[in-house]
Amino acid sequence: MPIKIPSSLPAADVLMEEGVMVMSEDQAAKQDIRALRIAILNLMPKKEETETQFARLIGAHPLQIELTLLRPTEHTPKTTSQAHIGAFYQPWNDVRDQKFDGLIITGAPIEHMPFEEVTYWDEISQIFDWTQTNVHSTLGVCWGGMAMINHFHGVKKHVLDAKAFGCFPQRNLAPSSPYLRGFSDTCVVPVSRWTEMRQDEIDAVPGLTTLLGSDEVGPCLVEDPDHRALYIFNHFEYDTGTLKGEYDRDVAKGVPINVPMKYYPDDDPSKPPQNRWRSHAHLLYANWISEIYLTTPFDIDQIGESRKDRRT
């Protein structure tokens, strides 16, 4: 089954060119099934790029997905046209009475700021609490994951002396986890951040389990079953050229930046980078959606009524 998104969303053309099945509202209405409702709270400045990256991963699953794009009500993005925002995004206040099977909270370029100094932190905190009653499973990515684990557990983020930047091997620490079904013993994941979460501080919190981690850049994927959440501190969703774009941008601006590690062949930026994470990215998101499908109530209004697994 395909992903259901507005046909005029720029991501639709990109996904169709890549062979991802995209369905219109009229086509979806003819199918006698309940689509999984998945929302993306998109905090990234390049919203169209981010929409495409996540829609590509969740749209590859055989289940029908109804995608909703959200933004904080109290924050007006300045890097995306207001026409695009107005056409495709809903402020969170407009959907807070609705229920969703899944929610993805993206990263945001505000890593150096203390959480409480973020202008929309109060609303983000409300959204985190709202997930416990209105969302069956939440995926916090990079800053989104760091903010969420801090909100629920007080785990702090720490500023790095140098940016963690490149493609780093991650060890499979929980091979029996349904979220890592089909994963190799190691996988490569793009990393691009100035902050980190520390493994010993995560280990000190009862109930949290690190599923993927690296000796070089720390924990990557953490499961929080009590809050029906996964926290991903790295970027499975990145395109092949995303790290290159970040590197070229900083070089052009004269910002000190290292060549992303283990990304270019022979660490030579003149050579085209190679994507070594695509298959595991699809596996992770497919496994996440499968777990949602197996455990979410058929009656979407029952989401949040019980924390117990509804697998049948």
Side-chain angles (χ1 to χ4, degrees):
M1 295 294 175
I3 183 172
K4 185 174 77 170
I5 57 177
S7 58
S8 54
L9 186 72
D13 289 338
V14 176
L15 297 178
M16 285 189 288
E17 288 177 3
E18 294 178 0
V20 177
M21 294 180 66
V22 177
M23 176 176 280
S24 69
E25 298 268 349
D26 291 341
Q27 289 174 305
K30 296 176 182 178
Q31 294 195 322
D32 188 21
I33 60 174
R34 180 172 92 70
L36 292 181
R37 297 197 71 205
I38 294 181
I40 300 175
L41 180 67
N42 191 352
L43 306 174
M44 291 295 284
K46 294 183 177 181
K47 297 214 178 315
E48 294 184 22
E49 178 181 289
T50 304
E51 295 155 13
T52 303
Q53 289 171 346
F54 284 109
R56 175 185 295 118
L57 293 173
I58 63 178
H61 200 278
L63 298 172
Q64 187 188 126
I65 306 295
E66 178 184 328
L67 184 64
T68 301
L69 297 174
L70 302 179
R71 64 173 178 84
T73 308
E74 300 174 357
H75 177 68
T76 301
K78 299 178 181 178
T79 54
T80 302
S81 74
Q82 291 307 299
H84 183 85
I85 297 295
F88 302 114
Y89 280 78
Q90 299 184 56
W92 173 67
N93 268 345
D94 287 1
V95 304
R96 62 188 306 169
D97 293 330
Q98 299 179 27
K99 303 271 181 116
F100 293 88
D101 299 290
L103 171 68
I104 297 171
I105 301 174
T106 75
I110 47 178
E111 285 185 89
H112 287 92
M113 297 178 64
F115 291 123
E116 61 275 8
E117 292 184 11
V118 175
T119 57
Y120 48 87
W121 179 248
D122 288 345
E123 184 176 4
I124 289 291
S125 297
Q126 293 178 48
I127 293 172
F128 293 155
D129 291 335
W130 169 80
T131 65
Q132 300 306 286
T133 56
N134 289 64
V135 179
H136 184 66
S137 181
T138 304
L139 206 60
V141 178
C142 202
W143 183 88
M146 293 181 179
M148 200 170 181
I149 199 173
N150 175 266
H151 176 78
F152 285 127
H153 300 287
V155 180
K156 297 179 180 179
K157 66 181 171 80
H158 301 272
V159 178
L160 296 167
D161 294 331
K163 187 176 185 179
F165 192 43
C167 295
F168 293 87
Q170 308 290 328
R171 289 180 290 116
N172 183 342
L173 302 174
S176 63
S177 169
Y179 297 108
L180 300 185
R181 190 179 295 114
F183 265 60
S184 305
D185 293 337
T186 61
C187 64
V188 171
V189 184
V191 179
S192 179
R193 48 180 166 79
W194 284 97
T195 53
E196 67 174 357
M197 312 305 285
R198 293 179 179 168
Q199 188 60 60
D200 60 335
E201 296 178 6
I202 291 173
D203 290 340
V205 179
L208 296 182
T209 301
T210 301
L211 306 182
L212 293 173
S214 164
D215 293 334
E216 297 174 272
V217 289
C220 170
L221 176 64
V222 175
E223 182 182 6
D224 182 1
D226 286 348
H227 294 90
R228 303 188 307 280
L230 291 172
Y231 311 128
I232 305 175
F233 305 129
N234 303 326
H235 291 283
F236 278 96
E237 80 282 359
Y238 268 11
D239 295 325
T240 302
T242 303
L243 291 178
K244 172 178 167 53
E246 294 179 5
Y247 174 72
D248 291 346
R249 174 201 63 200
D250 287 350
V251 169
K253 290 182 177 180
V255 176
I257 186 68
N258 295 328
V259 174
M261 297 180 63
K262 305 171 187 175
Y263 174 59
Y264 295 104
D266 304 318
D267 292 326
D268 182 352
S270 68
K271 297 180 179 179
Q274 294 180 332
N275 190 311
R276 295 179 289 135
W277 61 91
R278 184 183 296 114
S279 58
H280 282 100
H282 279 279
L283 265 179
L284 177 63
Y285 280 81
N287 288 340
W288 178 59
I289 291 171
S290 294
E291 283 303 295
I292 291 175
Y293 175 74
L294 290 170
T295 59
T296 196
F298 180 79
D299 182 354
I300 198 169
D301 291 331
Q302 292 180 5
I303 286 176
E305 290 183 3
S306 172
R307 292 176 180 268
K308 294 181 179 179
D309 193 343
R310 299 176 185 270
R311 188 194 301 271
T312 56

